[in-house]
């Protein structure tokens, strides 16, 4: 006999990046009176980690829970950026339904397609929410029409085509069944969730739960998060942890916690359908099953799409190595990278033939950049190489990852953007002009062609363009097309940069550093105006005729340094260059620092015939 938990709904919120998921969760939380009346909660409450707040995007999927009437609605907020698609894949198994948000002005974007496909695969009931209908250029009807096209394309059976549609302004906490007639609150959305999302079905049998996520707390240690699919659990219960290798380990549950708004509260018992956090189980990996030791049946492990981009992480070999980081040895770097695999499902780490270098693969540049930034904030120092697409041999053929790219640009930027994409082997599959001077283009393009493209795209469209892409599999290698970057300005000797020396460098190009910074020979201090590296002496002082004076540099006009962010630095890197990452600095450098080393490396690659 099966039971149904009428008091619970488990719902995930999915969408393309920035379509308003976290904002909608804010409003749902506020309207469910989860907070005390005088509690200051702010906005994007669920984007709780520092990097999320700085970047204004969600990186990790997170749970929360609200009460509406007599029903507990467990909500899973997910990231919309394609690089964090692995986060979406691993949490959908906790839900029975989802809200598919679509921006009324942008319409469905590449990640909308990705998350909808995953939702269909998992069998979620879908509620379409056309959000941001307040935007000036909103066109909710056109957006909905495109959503319908997407449903037709992706649905496997007719049932899946039935989805209620709501319109919303998440920012104001309003929703309704027509874009011109929104309620003053989200009541229509609450109702639709309760009516549409199936209540959890309780499978009969002993306790069973798939670990979909982990959290850590200094008090309780690691917590395993998941949805109970069978039976119940209470503090003190003995359980079996079933791991990837097929092994089973006995453990004892210490606490059973559930979400209440932003808090976690301890409960005496939880049952199938509940989303819980269990403490006391120590080393549990995502994808493990926790089960009754009497019926230790593993659930299918979570399937995650393969990485498409990789780079090497190595021990810092710059002359400044060991100065700024707390953790800098091979052992520390290796342990940290492998530890990441427990929680970051989309990531792969491999040893290389060099003991001090590791190959790290992820779902995109941002996926890897977030790892780099996180590690540097933890006190690690290391060096990374240029990100590259992962090339495979399949049936003897050289194959490369391909992406589907959607760009929206203003008509005046169309020429520049299509030209740039053409050079990167992009193939246009669709072009749609709207009535407001905008153009939407669909492309297929090798992942290779997209690495480093974002910055370029923002420049070409003066910051007004919109782009998004998702991996769509492998295809035969499309041939070389590497665009020549302009040459680097490299420091010719070690020392401290001075205004006079930098002014000399600025005659040759743009500088990345300001005066008073320590440099080493072979460090990249700027970019010149044409191909080919040039060495510059940024530490050169003006010859003094008499007494040295700290104001003697004033006569020289310096353009402010063009500082490179982490992502810009990764985009900048050529094959023979590295990025040194420390808690205090990002330094671009040549792989071979001195002229002697460079020519030796050049000779070695020529004689071995592998030269790039
Ligand atoms: N005009 C308007 N802006 C909105 C609305 N909802 C959200 N926004 C804005 O859209 C931006 C992105 O909102 P988020 O809630 O962070 O979007 P998200 O889907 O969670 O983004 P990721 O988690 O990074 O994928 C924010 O600046 C919001 O203020 C809306 O209904 N109308
Ligand atoms: Mg978000």
């Amino acid at each position: 006999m099966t039971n149904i938990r009428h008091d619970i709904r488990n719902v995930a919120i999915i969408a393309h990046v920035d379509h308003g998921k976290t904002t909608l969760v804010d409003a749902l939380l506020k309207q469910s009176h989860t907070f005390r009346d005088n509690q200051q909660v702010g906005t994007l409450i669920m984007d709780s980690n520092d990097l999320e707040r700085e970047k204004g995007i969600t990186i990790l999927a997170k749970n929360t829970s609200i009460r509406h009437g007599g029903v507990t609605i467990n909500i899973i907020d997910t990231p919309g950026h394609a690089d964090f698609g692995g986060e979406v894949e691993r949490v959908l198994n906790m839900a029975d339904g989802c809200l598919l948000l679509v921006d009324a002005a942008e319409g469905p974007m590449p990640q909308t397609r990705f998350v909808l496909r995953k939702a269909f695969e998992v069998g979620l009931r879908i509620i379409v929410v056309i959000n941001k209908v307040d935007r000036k250029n909103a066109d909710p009807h056109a957006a909905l029409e495109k959503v319908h096209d997407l449903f037709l394309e992706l649905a496997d059976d007719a049932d899946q085509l039935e989805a209620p549609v709501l319109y919303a302004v998440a920012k104001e906490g309003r929703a309704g069944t027509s874009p011109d007639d929104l309620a003053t609150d989200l009541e229509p959305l609450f109702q639709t969730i309760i009516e549409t999302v199936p209540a959890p079905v309780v499978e009969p049998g002993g306790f069973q739960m798939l670990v979909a996520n982990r959290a850590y707390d200094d008090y309780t240690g690691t917590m395993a998060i998941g949805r109970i699919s069978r039976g119940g659990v209470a503090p003190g219960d003995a359980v079996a942890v079933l791991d990837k290798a097929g092994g089973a380990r006995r453990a004892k549950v210490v606490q059973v916690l559930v979400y209440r708004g932003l808090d976690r509260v301890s409960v005496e018992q939880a049952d199938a359908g509940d989303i819980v956090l269990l403490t006391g189980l120590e080393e549990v990996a995502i994808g493990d099953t926790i089960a009754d030791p009497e019926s230790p049946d593993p659930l299918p492990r979570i399937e995650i799409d393969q990485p498409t981009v990789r780079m090497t992480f190595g021990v810092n070999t710059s002359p400044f190595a060991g100065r700024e980081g707390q953790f800098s040895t091979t052992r520390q770097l290796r342990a940290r990278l492998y530890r990441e695999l427990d929680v970051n499902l989309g990531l792969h780490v491999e040893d290389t033939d060099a003991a001090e270098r590791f190959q790290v693969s992820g779902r995109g540049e941002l996926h890897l950049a977030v790892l780099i930034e996180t590690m540097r904030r933890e006190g690690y120092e290391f060096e990374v190489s240029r990100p590259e697409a992962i090339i495979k041999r399949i049936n003897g053929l050289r194959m490369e990852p391909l992406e589907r790219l959607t760009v929206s640009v203003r008509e005046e930027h169309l020429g520049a953007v299509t030209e740039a994409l053409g050079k990167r082997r992009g193939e246009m599959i669709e072009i749609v002009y709207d009535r407001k001077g905008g153009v939407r283009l669909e492309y297929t393009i090798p992942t290779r062609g997209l690495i480093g493209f974002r910055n370029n795209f923002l420049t070409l469209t003066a910051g007004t363009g919109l782009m998004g892409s998702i991996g769509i599999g492998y295809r035969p290698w499309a041939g070389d097309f590497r665009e020549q970057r302009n040459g680097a300005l490299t420091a010719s000797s070690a020392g401290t940069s001075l205004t006079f020396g930098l002014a000399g460098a600025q005659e040759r190009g743009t500088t990345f550093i300001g005066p008073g910074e320590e440099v080493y020979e072979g460090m990249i201090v700027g970019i010149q105006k044409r191909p080919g590296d040039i060495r510059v002496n940024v530490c050169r002082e003006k010859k003094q005729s008499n007494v040295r004076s700290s104001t003697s540099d004033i006569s020289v006009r310096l353009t402010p340094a063009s500082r490179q962010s982490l992502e810009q630095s990764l985009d900048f890197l050529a094959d023979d260059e590295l990025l040194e990452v420390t808690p205090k600095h990002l330094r671009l450098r040549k792989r071979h620092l001195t002229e002697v080393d460079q020519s030796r490396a050049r000779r070695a690659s020529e004689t071995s015939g592998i030269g790039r």
Side-chain angles (χ1 to χ4, degrees), residues 15-24 44 47 56-59 77-81 101 131-135 168-172:
H16 185 76
V17 67
D18 266 359
H19 283 194
K21 298 174 288 300
T22 308
T23 306
L24 185 64
L44 299 178
D47 286 345
I57 57 169
T58 304
I59 296 170
D77 186 25
T78 65
H81 195 288
L101 259 64
N131 188 33
K132 306 198 190 183
V133 296
D134 61 314
R135 279 183 69 175
V169 179
K171 214 165 58 171
E172 295 168 7

Side-chain angles (χ1 to χ4, degrees), residues 451-500:
I451 290 177
F453 179 64
R454 184 170 296 271
N455 272 325
N456 188 211
F457 177 74
L458 289 176
T459 315
L460 292 176
T461 62
T464 63
L466 202 72
M467 65 176 267
S469 68
I470 45 162
I472 52 171
Y474 274 73
R475 73 149 185 214
W477 173 257
D480 278 325
F481 60 80
R482 174 72 58 82
E483 261 184 280
Q484 270 268 318
R485 188 200 70 200
N486 284 346
L489 296 175
T490 64
S492 58
S493 60
T496 303
S497 59
L498 293 172
T499 303
F500 185 74

Side-chain angles (χ1 to χ4, degrees), residues 388-526:
E388 57 177 21
I390 298 176
I391 310 301
K392 289 186 179 169
R393 278 214 167 263
I394 304 175
N395 298 328
L397 265 181
R398 189 179 196 201
M399 307 280 278
E400 66 173 329
L402 188 69
E403 304 199 22
R404 186 187 171 111
L405 168 76
T406 303
V407 298
S408 282
V409 297
R410 307 205 45 77
E411 255 185 271
E412 64 258 36
H413 301 129
L414 183 62
V417 170
T418 50
E419 187 189 332
L421 287 170
K423 277 192 196 151
R424 292 164 174 265
R425 292 279 195 280
E427 283 170 30
M428 196 192 293
I429 45 183
E430 196 181 75
I431 175 162
V432 182
Y433 291 82
D434 68 26
R435 273 152 296 180
K436 296 164 190 148
V439 190
R440 186 176 161 117
L441 306 158
E442 299 271 340
Y443 273 84
T444 58
I445 184 167
T447 298
R448 240 176 345 137
L450 280 180
I451 290 177
F453 179 64
R454 184 170 296 271
N455 272 325
N456 188 211
F457 177 74
L458 289 176
T459 315
L460 292 176
T461 62
T464 63
L466 202 72
M467 65 176 267
S469 68
I470 45 162
I472 52 171
Y474 274 73
R475 73 149 185 214
W477 173 257
D480 278 325
F481 60 80
R482 174 72 58 82
E483 261 184 280
Q484 270 268 318
R485 188 200 70 200
N486 284 346
L489 296 175
T490 64
S492 58
S493 60
T496 303
S497 59
L498 293 172
T499 303
F500 185 74
L502 284 167
Q506 288 189 346
E507 284 165 20
R508 315 294 298 267
T510 307
T511 51
F512 297 161
I513 62 166
E517 293 186 39
E518 280 201 89
V519 301
Y520 47 82
E521 180 177 0
M523 182 171 140
I524 298 171
V525 296

